[in-house]
Amino acid sequence: MSSDQIDRELAWLGRLWQWRLAEHFEAAPSAEPTDAPPPEPLPALLAALPAPLHGRDARALLWLAMAPWLQPALLDMLFARRSDTGRGFTEFGGLAHGEHGAFAPTGETACFLLGGMEGEQRLQAWRLLHTLTALDQGAWLQLGAAPEGQAALCGAWRPGPQLLRQLLGPLAEPVQAAPSASLAHPLRTGLGWSDLVLPPMTLAQLEEIVLWRTHRQQLLVDWGLGRRLKPGYAALFHGPPGTGKTLSAALLGQRCARPVMRVDLAALVSKYIGETEKNLAQLFDEAERQDWILFFDEADALFGKRSQVSDAHDRYANQEISYLLQRVEEFPGVVLLASNLKGNIDDAFQRRFQSVVAFALPRPAERLRLWREALPAALTPAPDVDLPALAQRHEIAGGTIMNAVRVACLRAAQRADGLLRAADLDEGVRRELVKEGRSL
């Protein structure tokens, strides 16, 4: 979306506020502000926003939420104070600020903008707020929790992560809250979707996750499937190490334009009774607020089979798994689990996965592509390097290929001759096979 379009929308919001304040203080007839029509939206704006945000009132509330981010001074007019008491105007809403803080709108601010002090119009505005905050589980607009003892409209009126991402792009990432107590960490990659070397069936299953993330609002709300389907999507990635499970999770985040958070199981699981459930609640609550994709690597440690109860320890361990199962079912976003062995995952979880994605060892043609893409362009393969033969001879995963290439590149750097030699690649493969308990 262009900056010109954003400037036009915010200028319209400013005119709308001027009309509302004039109507409020000058007791003018409560009529449509014909001197402040909304600008004609550009196609880019309509394409970026879901249909419920295209209407005049919804657009006004959208830009009200974004104003503190884009033009903080635009709402300074709402800092006005009563001449008789010196206090601010309660009907304007807004949160308390320091001396130099920008005006932060609340639900009350939004209702006053649309309805002034007229009862029926305020009710309509309140209904619209409810509709917009429910849109895609608060991904676009949010009404924060009100301070204790105050009405719900006293909560902050703010943009959701999807709206921030659409309008701010990469600038929106720093404003995402950090995971509570370091329970999860961002999973990133410098590769792209085209770098995935996987069988067509596996790629199709990954595409299904992207499709669900893109169209879940249509499925669950517009088509009414939310009455019969769980709100989220859980998928199990299983297969040998190095076959692309973690890379696929990171690239799904790229495709869905959402942060993928890798859960730190060491920080999550506690030996103290009740602490693991507390950490899980904290993690899933934060993930829902921030619209994260959660990735549980080596998921066997947490999602493993429940044991027969022989003592209190077994009982509490099973209780933790049951609570985890409940949170996964209730989570409205995407949960990805990775395991080397599908059979290690508790049956109760397997029945609830929307997809189970197998990551098999690559076939010869896929291994050849992996070898070719792994070699750095800065090095020249020696005449004795036969990549098709390597790909045919060694049934190994992509991660293993990369480790073998690393060994060969280190040797080339030591020689400083710019050549990648077959003997070095063979030595790299030999070392990896020994690590796996295999031999050439």
Side-chain angles (χ1 to χ4, degrees), residues 356-413:
V356 176
V357 186
F359 287 76
L361 288 172
R363 293 167 295 187
E366 294 163 349
R367 293 197 294 270
L368 178 57
R369 179 184 165 191
L370 287 167
W371 277 111
R372 285 172 172 166
E373 294 184 358
L375 301 187
L379 294 178
T380 302
D384 59 345
V385 172
D386 188 347
L387 294 184
L390 276 175
Q392 190 68 41
R393 187 164 63 245
H394 301 296
E395 188 178 2
I396 53 180
T400 303
I401 290 173
M402 283 306 308
N403 288 339
V405 170
R406 181 186 295 113
V407 171
C409 289
L410 285 173
R411 292 191 166 197

Short mmCIF file of all heavy atoms in Angstrom, two decimals, residues 356-413:
data_model
loop_
_atom_site.label_atom_id
_atom_site.label_comp_id
_atom_site.label_asym_id
_atom_site.label_seq_id
_atom_site.Cartn_x
_atom_site.Cartn_y
_atom_site.Cartn_z
N VAL A 356 -0.60 -35.29 8.67
CA VAL A 356 0.62 -35.99 9.09
C VAL A 356 1.52 -36.05 7.87
O VAL A 356 1.20 -36.71 6.87
CB VAL A 356 0.31 -37.40 9.63
CG1 VAL A 356 1.60 -38.13 9.98
CG2 VAL A 356 -0.61 -37.32 10.84
N VAL A 357 2.64 -35.32 7.92
CA VAL A 357 3.48 -35.12 6.74
C VAL A 357 4.75 -35.95 6.88
O VAL A 357 5.52 -35.76 7.83
CB VAL A 357 3.83 -33.63 6.57
CG1 VAL A 357 4.58 -33.41 5.26
CG2 VAL A 357 2.58 -32.77 6.62
N ALA A 358 4.96 -36.86 5.95
CA ALA A 358 6.14 -37.73 5.98
C ALA A 358 7.29 -37.06 5.23
O ALA A 358 7.12 -36.59 4.09
CB ALA A 358 5.81 -39.08 5.36
N PHE A 359 8.45 -37.02 5.86
CA PHE A 359 9.67 -36.50 5.24
C PHE A 359 10.61 -37.69 5.06
O PHE A 359 11.28 -38.13 6.00
CB PHE A 359 10.31 -35.43 6.12
CG PHE A 359 9.58 -34.11 6.12
CD1 PHE A 359 8.40 -33.97 6.84
CD2 PHE A 359 10.06 -33.04 5.39
CE1 PHE A 359 7.71 -32.76 6.84
CE2 PHE A 359 9.38 -31.83 5.38
CZ PHE A 359 8.21 -31.70 6.10
N ALA A 360 10.62 -38.24 3.86
CA ALA A 360 11.44 -39.42 3.58
C ALA A 360 12.83 -39.00 3.11
O ALA A 360 13.08 -37.84 2.74
CB ALA A 360 10.77 -40.27 2.50
N LEU A 361 13.76 -39.95 3.15
CA LEU A 361 15.07 -39.68 2.58
C LEU A 361 14.93 -39.38 1.09
O LEU A 361 14.12 -40.01 0.40
CB LEU A 361 15.99 -40.90 2.78
CG LEU A 361 16.48 -41.13 4.21
CD1 LEU A 361 17.21 -42.47 4.30
CD2 LEU A 361 17.39 -39.99 4.67
N PRO A 362 15.67 -38.42 0.58
CA PRO A 362 15.51 -38.04 -0.84
C PRO A 362 15.94 -39.17 -1.77
O PRO A 362 16.83 -39.97 -1.47
CB PRO A 362 16.43 -36.82 -0.99
CG PRO A 362 17.42 -36.94 0.13
CD PRO A 362 16.69 -37.60 1.27
N ARG A 363 15.29 -39.22 -2.91
CA ARG A 363 15.62 -40.19 -3.94
C ARG A 363 16.82 -39.70 -4.76
O ARG A 363 17.23 -38.55 -4.61
CB ARG A 363 14.40 -40.42 -4.83
CG ARG A 363 13.24 -41.09 -4.09
CD ARG A 363 11.95 -41.03 -4.85
NE ARG A 363 11.47 -39.66 -5.01
CZ ARG A 363 10.29 -39.34 -5.52
NH1 ARG A 363 9.46 -40.28 -5.93
NH2 ARG A 363 9.94 -38.07 -5.62
N PRO A 364 17.41 -40.54 -5.62
CA PRO A 364 18.63 -40.14 -6.33
C PRO A 364 18.51 -38.80 -7.06
O PRO A 364 19.42 -37.96 -6.98
CB PRO A 364 18.87 -41.30 -7.30
CG PRO A 364 18.30 -42.48 -6.59
CD PRO A 364 17.08 -41.96 -5.87
N ALA A 365 17.40 -38.56 -7.78
CA ALA A 365 17.26 -37.29 -8.51
C ALA A 365 17.20 -36.11 -7.54
O ALA A 365 17.76 -35.04 -7.82
CB ALA A 365 16.00 -37.34 -9.38
N GLU A 366 16.53 -36.30 -6.42
CA GLU A 366 16.45 -35.23 -5.43
C GLU A 366 17.81 -35.02 -4.77
O GLU A 366 18.21 -33.88 -4.48
CB GLU A 366 15.38 -35.59 -4.39
CG GLU A 366 13.98 -35.62 -4.96
CD GLU A 366 13.00 -36.36 -4.07
OE1 GLU A 366 13.45 -37.03 -3.11
OE2 GLU A 366 11.79 -36.28 -4.34
N ARG A 367 18.55 -36.13 -4.52
CA ARG A 367 19.87 -35.99 -3.92
C ARG A 367 20.82 -35.26 -4.87
O ARG A 367 21.65 -34.45 -4.43
CB ARG A 367 20.44 -37.36 -3.56
CG ARG A 367 19.68 -38.05 -2.44
CD ARG A 367 20.51 -39.18 -1.83
NE ARG A 367 20.75 -40.28 -2.74
CZ ARG A 367 19.97 -41.34 -2.88
NH1 ARG A 367 18.86 -41.43 -2.16
NH2 ARG A 367 20.29 -42.31 -3.72
N LEU A 368 20.70 -35.51 -6.16
CA LEU A 368 21.55 -34.81 -7.13
C LEU A 368 21.28 -33.31 -7.08
O LEU A 368 22.22 -32.50 -7.10
CB LEU A 368 21.30 -35.36 -8.53
CG LEU A 368 22.09 -34.68 -9.66
CD1 LEU A 368 23.59 -34.76 -9.40
CD2 LEU A 368 21.73 -35.30 -11.01
N ARG A 369 20.03 -32.93 -7.01
CA ARG A 369 19.70 -31.50 -6.92
C ARG A 369 20.27 -30.91 -5.63
O ARG A 369 20.81 -29.79 -5.63
CB ARG A 369 18.19 -31.30 -6.98
CG ARG A 369 17.78 -29.84 -6.87
CD ARG A 369 16.28 -29.67 -6.84
NE ARG A 369 15.93 -28.34 -6.39
CZ ARG A 369 14.69 -27.96 -6.07
NH1 ARG A 369 13.69 -28.83 -6.16
NH2 ARG A 369 14.46 -26.72 -5.67
N LEU A 370 20.16 -31.65 -4.54
CA LEU A 370 20.70 -31.17 -3.27
C LEU A 370 22.21 -30.99 -3.34
O LEU A 370 22.75 -29.98 -2.85
CB LEU A 370 20.33 -32.15 -2.15
CG LEU A 370 18.86 -32.14 -1.69
CD1 LEU A 370 18.57 -33.35 -0.82
CD2 LEU A 370 18.55 -30.85 -0.94
N TRP A 371 22.92 -31.93 -3.95
CA TRP A 371 24.37 -31.80 -4.11
C TRP A 371 24.71 -30.56 -4.94
O TRP A 371 25.61 -29.78 -4.59
CB TRP A 371 24.95 -33.05 -4.77
CG TRP A 371 25.23 -34.19 -3.84
CD1 TRP A 371 24.58 -35.39 -3.78
CD2 TRP A 371 26.27 -34.25 -2.85
NE1 TRP A 371 25.12 -36.19 -2.81
CE2 TRP A 371 26.17 -35.52 -2.22
CE3 TRP A 371 27.25 -33.37 -2.43
CZ2 TRP A 371 27.02 -35.92 -1.20
CZ3 TRP A 371 28.12 -33.76 -1.41
CH2 TRP A 371 28.00 -35.02 -0.80
N ARG A 372 24.00 -30.40 -6.06
CA ARG A 372 24.32 -29.26 -6.94
C ARG A 372 24.06 -27.93 -6.26
O ARG A 372 24.85 -26.98 -6.42
CB ARG A 372 23.49 -29.39 -8.22
CG ARG A 372 24.00 -30.47 -9.17
CD ARG A 372 23.05 -30.69 -10.33
NE ARG A 372 23.63 -31.59 -11.34
CZ ARG A 372 22.95 -32.17 -12.31
NH1 ARG A 372 21.64 -31.92 -12.44
NH2 ARG A 372 23.55 -32.97 -13.16
N GLU A 373 22.96 -27.84 -5.52
CA GLU A 373 22.63 -26.55 -4.88
C GLU A 373 23.48 -26.31 -3.64
O GLU A 373 23.59 -25.16 -3.19
CB GLU A 373 21.15 -26.53 -4.52
CG GLU A 373 20.24 -26.53 -5.75
CD GLU A 373 18.77 -26.41 -5.39
OE1 GLU A 373 18.46 -26.36 -4.18
OE2 GLU A 373 17.94 -26.39 -6.33
N ALA A 374 24.09 -27.36 -3.09
CA ALA A 374 24.90 -27.18 -1.88
C ALA A 374 26.28 -26.63 -2.18
O ALA A 374 26.89 -25.96 -1.34
CB ALA A 374 25.02 -28.52 -1.14
N LEU A 375 26.80 -26.90 -3.37
CA LEU A 375 28.17 -26.47 -3.69
C LEU A 375 28.21 -24.96 -3.88
O LEU A 375 27.42 -24.39 -4.64
CB LEU A 375 28.66 -27.17 -4.96
CG LEU A 375 28.71 -28.70 -4.93
CD1 LEU A 375 29.38 -29.21 -6.20
CD2 LEU A 375 29.41 -29.21 -3.69
N PRO A 376 29.14 -24.27 -3.22
CA PRO A 376 29.23 -22.81 -3.36
C PRO A 376 29.74 -22.41 -4.74
O PRO A 376 30.64 -23.05 -5.30
CB PRO A 376 30.21 -22.41 -2.25
CG PRO A 376 31.03 -23.63 -2.00
CD PRO A 376 30.12 -24.80 -2.26
N ALA A 377 29.19 -21.34 -5.27
CA ALA A 377 29.60 -20.87 -6.60
C ALA A 377 31.03 -20.36 -6.62
O ALA A 377 31.67 -20.31 -7.68
CB ALA A 377 28.63 -19.77 -7.07
N ALA A 378 31.56 -20.00 -5.45
CA ALA A 378 32.92 -19.45 -5.40
C ALA A 378 33.99 -20.51 -5.60
O ALA A 378 35.16 -20.17 -5.84
CB ALA A 378 33.14 -18.75 -4.05
N LEU A 379 33.63 -21.79 -5.49
CA LEU A 379 34.60 -22.87 -5.67
C LEU A 379 34.33 -23.59 -6.99
O LEU A 379 33.18 -23.75 -7.40
CB LEU A 379 34.52 -23.86 -4.51
CG LEU A 379 34.94 -23.34 -3.13
CD1 LEU A 379 34.77 -24.44 -2.09
CD2 LEU A 379 36.38 -22.85 -3.15
N THR A 380 35.41 -24.05 -7.61
CA THR A 380 35.30 -24.79 -8.87
C THR A 380 35.45 -26.28 -8.60
O THR A 380 36.46 -26.70 -8.01
CB THR A 380 36.39 -24.35 -9.86
OG1 THR A 380 36.26 -22.95 -10.10
CG2 THR A 380 36.27 -25.11 -11.18
N PRO A 381 34.46 -27.10 -8.96
CA PRO A 381 34.61 -28.56 -8.76
C PRO A 381 35.77 -29.09 -9.60
O PRO A 381 35.90 -28.75 -10.78
CB PRO A 381 33.27 -29.13 -9.22
CG PRO A 381 32.30 -27.97 -9.15
CD PRO A 381 33.12 -26.75 -9.47
N ALA A 382 36.61 -29.90 -9.00
CA ALA A 382 37.71 -30.53 -9.73
C ALA A 382 37.15 -31.50 -10.77
O ALA A 382 36.01 -31.96 -10.66
CB ALA A 382 38.63 -31.25 -8.75
N PRO A 383 37.94 -31.81 -11.80
CA PRO A 383 37.44 -32.72 -12.86
C PRO A 383 36.98 -34.07 -12.34
O PRO A 383 36.15 -34.72 -12.98
CB PRO A 383 38.66 -32.85 -13.80
CG PRO A 383 39.45 -31.60 -13.57
CD PRO A 383 39.28 -31.27 -12.12
N ASP A 384 37.52 -34.53 -11.20
CA ASP A 384 37.15 -35.86 -10.71
C ASP A 384 35.87 -35.85 -9.88
O ASP A 384 35.43 -36.91 -9.40
CB ASP A 384 38.29 -36.47 -9.90
CG ASP A 384 38.68 -35.62 -8.69
OD1 ASP A 384 38.27 -34.44 -8.64
OD2 ASP A 384 39.37 -36.15 -7.80
N VAL A 385 35.23 -34.69 -9.69
CA VAL A 385 33.99 -34.62 -8.92
C VAL A 385 32.84 -35.12 -9.79
O VAL A 385 32.57 -34.56 -10.85
CB VAL A 385 33.71 -33.18 -8.43
CG1 VAL A 385 32.33 -33.09 -7.81
CG2 VAL A 385 34.77 -32.76 -7.41
N ASP A 386 32.18 -36.17 -9.34
CA ASP A 386 31.08 -36.77 -10.09
C ASP A 386 29.83 -36.73 -9.21
O ASP A 386 29.55 -37.68 -8.45
CB ASP A 386 31.43 -38.21 -10.47
CG ASP A 386 30.41 -38.83 -11.43
OD1 ASP A 386 29.32 -38.24 -11.59
OD2 ASP A 386 30.70 -39.91 -11.98
N LEU A 387 29.07 -35.65 -9.30
CA LEU A 387 27.90 -35.50 -8.44
C LEU A 387 26.83 -36.54 -8.72
O LEU A 387 26.22 -37.06 -7.77
CB LEU A 387 27.33 -34.08 -8.57
CG LEU A 387 28.22 -32.94 -8.06
CD1 LEU A 387 27.50 -31.62 -8.17
CD2 LEU A 387 28.64 -33.19 -6.61
N PRO A 388 26.51 -36.88 -9.98
CA PRO A 388 25.51 -37.93 -10.20
C PRO A 388 25.90 -39.25 -9.53
O PRO A 388 25.04 -39.96 -8.99
CB PRO A 388 25.47 -38.06 -11.72
CG PRO A 388 25.86 -36.71 -12.21
CD PRO A 388 26.91 -36.24 -11.25
N ALA A 389 27.19 -39.58 -9.54
CA ALA A 389 27.63 -40.83 -8.89
C ALA A 389 27.47 -40.73 -7.39
O ALA A 389 27.05 -41.69 -6.73
CB ALA A 389 29.08 -41.13 -9.26
N LEU A 390 27.80 -39.58 -6.81
CA LEU A 390 27.61 -39.37 -5.36
C LEU A 390 26.14 -39.53 -4.99
O LEU A 390 25.80 -40.18 -4.00
CB LEU A 390 28.10 -37.98 -4.96
CG LEU A 390 29.59 -37.80 -4.66
CD1 LEU A 390 29.89 -36.32 -4.41
CD2 LEU A 390 29.99 -38.64 -3.45
N ALA A 391 25.28 -38.91 -5.79
CA ALA A 391 23.85 -38.96 -5.50
C ALA A 391 23.31 -40.37 -5.61
O ALA A 391 22.43 -40.79 -4.84
CB ALA A 391 23.10 -38.03 -6.45
N GLN A 392 23.84 -41.15 -6.56
CA GLN A 392 23.36 -42.51 -6.76
C GLN A 392 23.90 -43.45 -5.68
O GLN A 392 23.19 -44.37 -5.22
CB GLN A 392 23.81 -43.01 -8.14
CG GLN A 392 23.17 -44.33 -8.55
CD GLN A 392 21.67 -44.19 -8.81
OE1 GLN A 392 21.23 -43.21 -9.40
NE2 GLN A 392 20.89 -45.18 -8.35
N ARG A 393 25.13 -43.21 -5.23
CA ARG A 393 25.81 -44.15 -4.35
C ARG A 393 25.39 -44.04 -2.88
O ARG A 393 25.28 -45.04 -2.19
CB ARG A 393 27.32 -43.95 -4.47
CG ARG A 393 28.15 -45.00 -3.72
CD ARG A 393 29.58 -44.98 -4.18
NE ARG A 393 30.26 -43.73 -3.92
CZ ARG A 393 30.72 -42.89 -4.84
NH1 ARG A 393 30.53 -43.17 -6.13
NH2 ARG A 393 31.36 -41.79 -4.52
N HIS A 394 25.12 -42.81 -2.42
CA HIS A 394 24.89 -42.60 -0.98
C HIS A 394 23.46 -42.17 -0.72
O HIS A 394 23.02 -41.10 -1.15
CB HIS A 394 25.85 -41.53 -0.44
CG HIS A 394 27.29 -41.88 -0.63
ND1 HIS A 394 27.89 -42.96 -0.02
CD2 HIS A 394 28.25 -41.28 -1.39
CE1 HIS A 394 29.17 -43.01 -0.36
NE2 HIS A 394 29.41 -42.01 -1.21
N GLU A 395 22.73 -43.01 -0.01
CA GLU A 395 21.35 -42.69 0.38
C GLU A 395 21.38 -41.89 1.68
O GLU A 395 21.32 -42.45 2.78
CB GLU A 395 20.53 -43.97 0.55
CG GLU A 395 19.04 -43.71 0.75
CD GLU A 395 18.23 -44.99 0.88
OE1 GLU A 395 18.84 -46.08 0.85
OE2 GLU A 395 16.99 -44.89 1.03
N ILE A 396 21.49 -40.59 1.55
CA ILE A 396 21.63 -39.71 2.71
C ILE A 396 20.67 -38.53 2.58
O ILE A 396 20.17 -38.22 1.49
CB ILE A 396 23.09 -39.19 2.86
CG1 ILE A 396 23.56 -38.54 1.56
CG2 ILE A 396 24.01 -40.31 3.30
CD1 ILE A 396 24.98 -38.00 1.62
N ALA A 397 20.43 -37.85 3.71
CA ALA A 397 19.50 -36.73 3.75
C ALA A 397 20.18 -35.43 3.34
O ALA A 397 21.41 -35.34 3.28
CB ALA A 397 18.92 -36.59 5.16
N GLY A 398 19.35 -34.40 3.11
CA GLY A 398 19.89 -33.11 2.72
C GLY A 398 20.80 -32.50 3.77
O GLY A 398 21.82 -31.88 3.45
N GLY A 399 20.44 -32.65 5.04
CA GLY A 399 21.29 -32.13 6.11
C GLY A 399 22.64 -32.81 6.13
O GLY A 399 23.68 -32.18 6.39
N THR A 400 22.67 -34.11 5.84
CA THR A 400 23.93 -34.85 5.79
C THR A 400 24.78 -34.36 4.63
O THR A 400 26.00 -34.23 4.74
CB THR A 400 23.64 -36.35 5.65
OG1 THR A 400 22.82 -36.77 6.74
CG2 THR A 400 24.93 -37.16 5.66
N ILE A 401 24.15 -34.10 3.48
CA ILE A 401 24.87 -33.58 2.32
C ILE A 401 25.52 -32.24 2.66
O ILE A 401 26.69 -31.99 2.33
CB ILE A 401 23.92 -33.46 1.12
CG1 ILE A 401 23.55 -34.86 0.61
CG2 ILE A 401 24.54 -32.63 0.01
CD1 ILE A 401 22.48 -34.86 -0.47
N MET A 402 24.79 -31.36 3.34
CA MET A 402 25.35 -30.06 3.69
C MET A 402 26.54 -30.21 4.63
O MET A 402 27.55 -29.49 4.49
CB MET A 402 24.28 -29.19 4.34
CG MET A 402 23.27 -28.58 3.38
SD MET A 402 24.05 -27.63 2.03
CE MET A 402 25.14 -26.54 2.93
N ASN A 403 26.46 -31.14 5.57
CA ASN A 403 27.60 -31.35 6.47
C ASN A 403 28.82 -31.87 5.72
O ASN A 403 29.97 -31.49 6.01
CB ASN A 403 27.21 -32.33 7.58
CG ASN A 403 26.25 -31.72 8.58
OD1 ASN A 403 26.16 -30.50 8.71
ND2 ASN A 403 25.54 -32.56 9.29
N ALA A 404 28.60 -32.76 4.75
CA ALA A 404 29.71 -33.26 3.94
C ALA A 404 30.35 -32.15 3.11
O ALA A 404 31.58 -32.06 3.00
CB ALA A 404 29.22 -34.39 3.04
N VAL A 405 29.52 -31.28 2.55
CA VAL A 405 30.04 -30.15 1.76
C VAL A 405 30.83 -29.21 2.66
O VAL A 405 31.85 -28.65 2.25
CB VAL A 405 28.88 -29.42 1.06
CG1 VAL A 405 29.35 -28.11 0.45
CG2 VAL A 405 28.27 -30.31 -0.02
N ARG A 406 30.39 -29.04 3.91
CA ARG A 406 31.13 -28.17 4.83
C ARG A 406 32.56 -28.68 5.03
O ARG A 406 33.52 -27.89 5.04
CB ARG A 406 30.41 -28.10 6.18
CG ARG A 406 31.11 -27.19 7.18
CD ARG A 406 30.48 -27.24 8.55
NE ARG A 406 29.12 -26.71 8.54
CZ ARG A 406 28.03 -27.43 8.74
NH1 ARG A 406 28.14 -28.74 8.97
NH2 ARG A 406 26.85 -26.87 8.74
N VAL A 407 32.71 -29.99 5.22
CA VAL A 407 34.05 -30.57 5.39
C VAL A 407 34.91 -30.29 4.15
O VAL A 407 36.06 -29.86 4.26
CB VAL A 407 33.94 -32.09 5.65
CG1 VAL A 407 35.33 -32.74 5.61
CG2 VAL A 407 33.27 -32.35 6.99
N ALA A 408 34.34 -30.52 2.97
CA ALA A 408 35.09 -30.31 1.73
C ALA A 408 35.48 -28.84 1.56
O ALA A 408 36.59 -28.53 1.11
CB ALA A 408 34.26 -30.79 0.54
N CYS A 409 34.58 -27.93 1.92
CA CYS A 409 34.87 -26.50 1.78
C CYS A 409 35.96 -26.06 2.75
O CYS A 409 36.81 -25.20 2.41
CB CYS A 409 33.60 -25.68 1.99
SG CYS A 409 32.40 -25.82 0.66
N LEU A 410 35.96 -26.60 3.95
CA LEU A 410 37.03 -26.27 4.91
C LEU A 410 38.39 -26.70 4.38
O LEU A 410 39.39 -25.99 4.51
CB LEU A 410 36.74 -26.92 6.25
CG LEU A 410 35.64 -26.28 7.10
CD1 LEU A 410 35.33 -27.11 8.33
CD2 LEU A 410 36.04 -24.87 7.52
N ARG A 411 38.44 -27.87 3.76
CA ARG A 411 39.71 -28.34 3.19
C ARG A 411 40.13 -27.46 2.01
O ARG A 411 41.33 -27.18 1.83
CB ARG A 411 39.58 -29.79 2.76
CG ARG A 411 39.42 -30.74 3.94
CD ARG A 411 39.56 -32.18 3.52
NE ARG A 411 39.73 -33.04 4.67
CZ ARG A 411 40.20 -34.29 4.60
NH1 ARG A 411 40.53 -34.80 3.43
NH2 ARG A 411 40.32 -35.01 5.68
N ALA A 412 39.16 -27.02 1.21
CA ALA A 412 39.49 -26.13 0.09
C ALA A 412 40.01 -24.80 0.60
O ALA A 412 40.94 -24.21 0.03
CB ALA A 412 38.26 -25.93 -0.78
N ALA A 413 39.43 -24.30 1.68
CA ALA A 413 39.90 -23.04 2.27
C ALA A 413 41.32 -23.20 2.80
O ALA A 413 42.13 -22.27 2.69
CB ALA A 413 38.95 -22.62 3.39
#
